[in-house]
Amino acid sequence: MPAFSLLAPCSGRVVDSSHHPSPLIRSHWLGHTTCIDVSSNQLLAPTAAKVDYVSPAGNFIHLLSTQHGRIMLFLGAHEQSTKIPAIQRHISSGDEVERGAPLLSLNQTLLRQQTNLYNLMAVILQPNIEFDTLALRNSGAVTALESELVIQKDVS
């Protein structure tokens, strides 16, 4: 079996998910979760995947990866908006993306002026492999496509 690795989809600082405005994210109910205070201007595909869904505003992306399972990228607290001026989508639902493909462009100045903490991105992993232990990083600086998010894994 190939090594299970998930690289950061953007640069920034990892913070504990307890800082996310959504109770659903904070509870880890959707899966293994970490959060990144995004500092880069692009969100990149962390792995080759199919874009299962992207919200109209672009702040929620659901990827399906044969290697990883489900990966959800969730900027901010709400998906109700159909347009967020700070976010430019480069993908649509149904697209196939390679690792490193740009998913979104982010205008940091506008992003940080928004309410709902759109600069805080939850990375949620629902792996397609059973693990006795799986832990995601919860602190420190990360660099897009260079920094590992999975810090502990023990396959069942």
Side-chain angles (χ1 to χ4, degrees), residues 1-6 30-32 47-49 63-71 124-132 134 150 155-156:
M1 173 187 349
F4 192 87
S5 170
L6 181 64
L30 295 172
H32 302 278
T47 187
L63 302 172
L64 294 175
S65 164
T66 54
Q67 181 183 2
H68 295 92
R70 297 175 190 274
I71 301 167
I124 303 164
L125 177 62
Q126 295 175 343
N128 55 5
I129 301 170
E130 288 295 320
F131 289 93
D132 289 331
L134 178 68
V150 176
V155 179
S156 297

Side-chain angles (χ1 to χ4, degrees), residues 6-7 13 19 22 24 27-28 39 64 67 72 74-76 80 87 91-92 95 118 154:
L6 181 64
L7 299 177
R13 179 155 296 283
H19 296 286
S22 169
L24 195 60
S27 70
H28 293 232
S39 63
L64 294 175
Q67 181 183 2
M72 291 173 270
F74 199 140
L75 282 162
Q80 298 169 352
I87 299 174
I91 53 165
S92 298
D95 287 355
Y118 285 115
D154 295 316

